[in-house]
Amino acid sequence: MDKIVGRKKSYLAMKTDSVAATEFINSDLKEIGNAVKKLANHAVKLGGLGFGTLFLKWLASFAAIYLLILDRTNWKTNILTSLLIPYIFLSLPSLIFNLLRGEIGKWIALIAVVLRLFFPSRFPDWLEAPGALILLIVVAPGFFADTIRDSWIGTLICLVIGCYLLQEHIRASGGFRNSFTKSNGISNSVGIVLLLVYPVWALILYIL
């Protein structure tokens, strides 16, 4: 009788150990699966999607610069286009941003300030916005230049600016249809839409 009881206990112990081992294995497999999934997501972001984000960032920056130039030439509107300055600051690719934040940008900012102070007649109005952008890039604290700029907060600010400019442009054009059909408004509309593509795409990747 004692032998039978001992065998039952041994069997139950072995069964318990087997169940525990199976649970450990399943847990390890689950952790490995999660790690592989994270690795795949990061690889995708650094690969095709990451390249797409960088391309859209360049495109958005050039679109903002184009709209800024257009505003100083023949874009007759009361829209607050000065918002393009912080948009460019937040979306400018790191290659150009770091270049302008260094010695080159400091020299450009110095020349702009000297011209504005001592030779105002030789400082055209269309240089006001580019000069403000250079000054902003050079003197911005690290919190804005290194933290906010590369975070989802900076991307969200770009999205808000783009949405504001789009709705103001549609209102100034007399409606959505006019903003995309009038010959003098199509290029502006396309440029503003390009401002929205980058932050929307970047925020989707942040969520993923």
Side-chain angles (χ1 to χ4, degrees):
M1 186 70 179
D2 293 338
K3 291 182 179 180
I4 295 174
V5 173
R7 289 177 182 176
K8 286 183 178 180
K9 289 183 178 179
S10 300
Y11 173 75
L12 291 174
M14 291 175 61
K15 189 174 182 179
T16 302
D17 293 339
S18 176
V19 171
T22 303
E23 290 179 353
F24 282 130
I25 293 174
N26 291 335
S27 178
D28 292 339
L29 290 175
K30 188 176 181 179
E31 290 180 2
I32 293 173
N34 292 333
V36 172
K37 188 183 295 184
K38 289 181 180 179
L39 180 62
N41 289 335
H42 292 164
V44 169
K45 289 182 181 180
L46 291 174
L49 296 181
F51 175 78
T53 304
L54 182 61
F55 172 75
L56 291 177
K57 178 179 282 192
W58 279 91
L59 194 63
S61 297
F62 281 120
I65 294 171
Y66 162 75
L67 291 173
L68 197 60
I69 295 173
L70 202 63
D71 177 58
R72 302 300 171 180
T73 54
N74 61 353
W75 192 7
K76 306 302 181 182
T77 181
N78 294 323
I79 296 175
L80 189 60
T81 49
S82 56
L83 287 174
L84 290 169
I85 299 299
Y87 185 97
I88 297 172
F89 174 84
L90 293 170
S91 66
L92 199 65
S94 299
L95 179 65
I96 300 178
F97 184 85
N98 293 332
L99 184 67
L100 293 177
R101 193 164 170 80
E103 291 297 322
I104 294 178
K106 292 177 181 179
W107 277 103
I108 295 175
L110 177 63
I111 293 172
V113 170
V114 170
L115 287 176
R116 187 68 181 85
L117 287 176
F118 302 105
F119 306 97
S121 60
R122 297 187 179 182
F123 193 85
D125 293 338
W126 59 269
L127 277 179
E128 292 283 351
L133 175 62
I134 295 297
L135 283 173
L136 180 62
I137 292 175
V138 171
V139 306
F143 175 73
F144 291 100
D146 303 324
T147 304
I148 297 296
R149 212 180 81 87
D150 295 325
S151 68
W152 65 269
I153 299 176
T155 307
L156 184 61
I157 294 173
C158 288
L159 180 60
V160 172
I161 292 174
C163 290
Y164 169 80
L165 291 177
L166 180 60
Q167 66 94 15
E168 286 295 314
H169 174 59
I170 292 174
R171 181 183 300 176
S173 301
F176 182 83
R177 183 175 181 180
N178 290 336
S179 64
F180 284 92
T181 55
K182 289 184 178 180
S183 58
N184 61 343
I186 296 176
S187 59
N188 305 339
S189 302
V190 172
I192 295 175
V193 169
L194 290 177
L195 298 182
L196 294 171
V197 175
Y198 157 67
V200 169
W201 177 262
L203 286 173
I204 290 175
L205 290 187
Y206 276 120
I207 294 173
L208 294 177

